[in-house]
């Protein structure tokens, strides 16, 4: 006899204790309304803690503007619209204004990236990568992508969409000291492998890729570069990173909710008309049906914000990351890429081996409301997968709250007190909360404009 309240934990991937707590909360609710209130209360607790009291340094997180947040709750999010823009291309009637919203989004994305084509229907960048593999490869094809210790993402590896597509995956050779592609090694290995696609871009990216040179190498056998700009696509929109489409990438995807600071979802852009049929078909009807028009409207506004504020916002993000890297290093916390100015993106990667693993360090910092994540770094081996040596930080959110270089010194002080001077998290916590009280307004949007100097 099985008790539905006691599922077999061996069958459950989620933490069984946390699920049991949720069941206990629901058991105490005597009405549906109480269940609703339990959900809303948890959301409020997060809003107060992460939204008002934490220094959020997670590299893939960005706070959206009030206008973007309002659109995510808009009426149009209850409407069904699948297919391509225009009367004859849709299954449903009643979409004349939805066509208008979607067309504005597509044209804004094209403008933002100076691209000939863009698509607005990706509910995640992960799906964008699957769309690229669906459109541009056949099962059994060989591609090259970056391994995880160098920042490679599962979407381009055997355990993600590339693997699901049945692709054979060879590593892009990387230089562990320079933290970039080892171009000389690539020049030797690529002609032996003759990859159909080379996926560049990574979740840990500090410096630009030798994209132009690599695209020239693979062009010899008709290979293409696919730039997975999940993290960097906002920096690219703001002109603060390399420009993949101009440097030979055939297609670029990106997360709308990382540096781009829009609703969490995906963006895809390309220039070659010969790819349009295949890419668009792989999005609809293959991988997207109803595609959340509220999200499309929010994405369109995020693109307008990028056009207006992207340059200033993204430049400050990079300056803050460089300042944070230098400030941590000065205080005895080793940072990767020191000999190259630490970073050319929004990311800073510390080697925290001396303070325990990246996992322990991230949890210690979180006790003082400083939110980061563990990360594999090039010196890690397969054994270090769960307890890697790296700590990844990003400066998107702190920048949007108006912080500049001098605030990066203050954040580095907090971290050094915890890691180097071994102060108890409770003492640092109070100071972090007080510091964060002073930064509650989001800038680089049409309500607030630029932050004060
Ligand atoms: C985050 C990330 C993705 C996935 O993006 P989502 O928008 O979260 O689906 C893909 N590739 C890389 C390199 C990433 O860092």
């Amino acid at each position: 006899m099985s008790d539905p309240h006691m599922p077999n934990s061996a069958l459950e991937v989620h933490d069984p204790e946390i699920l049991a707590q949720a069941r206990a909360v629901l058991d105490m609710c005597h009405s549906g309304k109480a269940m609703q209130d339990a959900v809303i209360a948890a959301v409020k607790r997060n809003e107060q803690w992460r939204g008002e009291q934490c220094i959020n340094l997670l590299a893939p997180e960005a706070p959206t503007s009030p206008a973007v947040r309002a659109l995510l709750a808009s009426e149009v999010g209850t409407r069904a619209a699948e297919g391509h823009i225009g009367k004859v291309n849709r299954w449903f009637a009643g979409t004349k204004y939805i066509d208008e919203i979607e067309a504005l989004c597509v044209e804004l994305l094209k403008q933002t990236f100076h691209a000939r084509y863009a698509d607005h229907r990706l509910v995640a960048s992960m799906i964008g990568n699957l769309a690229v593999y669906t459109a541009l490869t056949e099962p059994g094809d060989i591609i090259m992508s970056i391994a995880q210790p160098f920042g490679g993402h599962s979407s381009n590896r055997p355990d993600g969409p590339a693997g699901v597509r049945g692709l054979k995956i060879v590593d892009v050779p990387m230089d562990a000291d320079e933290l970039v592609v080892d171009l000389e090694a690539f020049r030797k290995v690529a002609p032996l492998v003759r990859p159909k696609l080379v996926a560049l871009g990574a979740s840990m990216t500090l410096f630009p890729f030798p994209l132009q040179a690599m695209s020239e190498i693979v062009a010899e056998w008709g290979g293409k570069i696919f730039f997975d700009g999940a993290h960097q696509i906002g920096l690219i929109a703001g002109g603060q990173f390399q420009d993949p489409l101009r440097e030979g990438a055939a297609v670029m995807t990106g997360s709308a909710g990382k540096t781009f600071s829009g609703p969490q979802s995906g963006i895809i852009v390309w220039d070659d008309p010969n790819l349009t049929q295949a890419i668009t078909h792989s999005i609809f009807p293959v991988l997207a049906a109803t595609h959340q028009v509220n999200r499309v409207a929010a994405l369109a506004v995020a693109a307008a914000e990028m056009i207006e504020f992207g340059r200033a916002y993204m430049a400050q993000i990079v300056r803050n990351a460089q300042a944070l890297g230098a400030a941590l290093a000065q205080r005895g916390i080793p940072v990767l890429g020191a000999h190259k100015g630490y970073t050319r993106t929004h990311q800073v990667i510390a080697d925290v081996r001396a303070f325990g693993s990246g996992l322990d360090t991230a949890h210690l910092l979180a006790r003082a409301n400083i939110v980061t994540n563990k990360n594999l770094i090039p010196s890690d081996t397969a054994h270090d997968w769960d307890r890697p040596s790296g700590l990844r930080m990003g400066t998107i959110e702190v920048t949007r709250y108006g912080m500049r270089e001098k605030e990066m010194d203050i954040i580095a002080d907090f971290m050094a007190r915890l890691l180097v001077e071994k102060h108890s998290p409770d003492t640092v916590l109070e100071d972090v909360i007080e510091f964060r009280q002073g930064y509650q307004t989001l800038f680089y949007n049409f309500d607030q404009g630029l932050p004060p100097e």
Side-chain angles (χ1 to χ4, degrees):
M1 289 232 286
S2 72
D3 176 355
H5 288 263
M6 296 292 288
N8 182 349
S9 64
L11 297 177
E12 188 61 77
V13 172
H14 301 294
D15 186 326
E17 245 179 72
I18 297 173
L19 292 178
Q21 275 168 19
R23 285 194 301 277
V25 167
L26 294 177
D27 283 347
M28 285 186 359
C29 293
H30 297 298
S31 66
K33 169 73 166 60
M35 295 179 179
Q36 169 190 284
D37 292 347
V39 175
I40 291 172
V43 171
K44 287 266 174 241
R45 280 195 290 276
N46 193 68
E47 190 172 315
Q48 189 181 26
W49 181 47
R50 296 291 306 282
E52 295 169 14
Q53 302 178 337
C54 283
I55 299 174
N56 295 298
L57 297 174
L58 285 184
E61 269 185 2
T64 46
S65 69
V68 165
R69 287 183 204 192
L71 284 169
L72 284 174
S74 59
E75 179 271 350
V76 80
T78 66
R79 304 296 155 206
E82 49 176 56
H84 308 303
I85 297 168
K87 239 180 226 158
V88 296
N89 298 322
R90 302 238 198 222
W91 199 245
F92 309 124
T95 56
K96 64 180 176 186
Y97 299 122
I98 289 171
D99 282 342
E100 198 181 330
I101 296 164
E102 293 192 15
L104 283 167
C105 185
V106 168
E107 293 303 326
L108 276 162
L109 289 174
K110 289 185 198 169
Q111 271 196 33
T112 308
F113 295 101
H114 311 287
R116 200 153 163 189
Y117 300 98
D119 206 285
H120 55 298
R121 290 169 290 186
L122 303 173
V123 297
S125 193
M126 200 80 170
I127 306 296
N129 292 1
L130 182 53
V132 168
Y133 293 124
T134 306
L136 303 184
T137 66
E138 299 293 335
D141 281 347
I142 302 176
I143 66 157
M144 292 180 78
S145 68
I146 298 168
Q148 268 97 338
F150 289 96
H153 188 263
S154 64
S155 51
N156 307 309
R157 305 295 291 168
D159 44 355
V164 168
R165 183 63 172 155
L167 303 175
K168 298 197 182 84
I169 300 166
V170 176
D171 293 352
V172 171
M174 298 291 291
D175 182 326
D177 297 317
E178 297 302 311
L179 304 162
V180 292
V181 171
D182 182 339
L183 189 58
E184 287 322 303
F186 182 80
R187 222 182 269 292
K188 290 191 192 103
V189 75
L192 305 174
V193 174
R194 295 172 73 88
K196 196 166 189 179
L197 273 188
V198 177
L200 289 180
S203 306
M204 175 174 72
T205 297
L206 298 172
F207 303 107
F209 295 86
L211 218 154
Q212 185 92 48
M214 293 174 79
S215 77
E216 281 159 19
I217 292 167
V218 301
E220 272 172 46
W221 54 88
K224 291 186 170 62
I225 303 280
F226 154 39
F227 194 78
D228 175 353
H231 269 266
Q232 303 87 34
I233 203 159
L235 301 175
I236 292 164
Q240 305 302 317
F241 197 62
Q242 65 191 136
D243 190 351
L245 290 185
R246 249 57 57 191
E247 293 169 32
V251 55
M252 172 165 76
T253 59
S255 297
K258 297 181 185 172
T259 50
F260 197 76
S261 303
Q264 288 181 347
S265 57
I267 294 171
I268 184 168
V269 288
W270 68 98
D271 275 334
D272 181 355
N274 295 319
L275 303 181
T276 299
Q277 187 64 31
I279 292 176
T280 311
H281 179 83
S282 77
I283 296 169
F284 182 84
V286 177
L287 293 170
T290 39
H291 46 255
Q292 308 155 343
V293 187
N294 55 328
R295 179 195 60 74
V296 176
L299 179 59
V301 165
E305 290 172 352
M306 263 311 135
I307 289 169
E308 183 82 13
F309 303 107
R311 199 160 276 279
Y313 178 23
M314 297 297 138
Q316 189 63 46
I317 283 176
V318 176
R319 284 197 296 270
N320 282 352
Q322 290 167 342
L324 182 61
L328 291 170
Q330 272 163 19
R331 287 161 181 77
I333 300 170
V335 179
L336 302 197
H339 67 295
K340 303 170 73 169
Y342 303 102
T343 183
R344 296 268 304 277
T345 70
H346 59 304
Q347 297 186 1
V348 181
I349 311 290
D351 180 341
V352 292
R353 199 172 334 211
F355 314 107
S357 73
L359 178 71
D360 308 319
T361 306
H363 284 282
L364 176 74
L365 294 171
R367 285 173 57 200
N369 282 8
I370 298 174
V371 185
T372 60
N373 70 272
K374 67 176 182 180
N375 217 85
L376 287 165
I377 55 175
S379 55
D380 283 323
T381 65
H383 296 290
D384 302 316
W385 209 263
D386 290 329
R387 297 182 159 272
S389 310
L391 188 77
R392 185 179 63 165
M393 291 154 278
T395 53
I396 307 172
E397 177 161 325
V398 292
T399 304
R400 206 168 204 188
Y401 276 113
M403 295 185 203
R404 297 181 187 275
E405 289 89 326
K406 66 181 189 310
E407 283 89 353
M408 300 305 111
D409 277 329
I410 298 172
I411 294 172
D413 277 336
F414 290 139
M415 293 181 63
R417 275 167 66 191
L418 291 158
L419 302 183
V420 181
E421 297 162 37
K422 314 276 183 216
H423 289 194
S424 117
D426 299 334
T427 60
V428 180
L429 174 65
E430 285 172 31
D431 294 341
V432 167
I433 292 175
E434 196 193 320
F435 166 75
R436 182 59 213 283
Q437 290 306 315
Y439 301 90
Q440 300 287 333
T441 305
L442 290 166
F443 295 95
Y444 307 103
N445 59 61
F446 295 104
D447 295 314
Q448 297 293 338
L450 299 174
E453 283 295 327

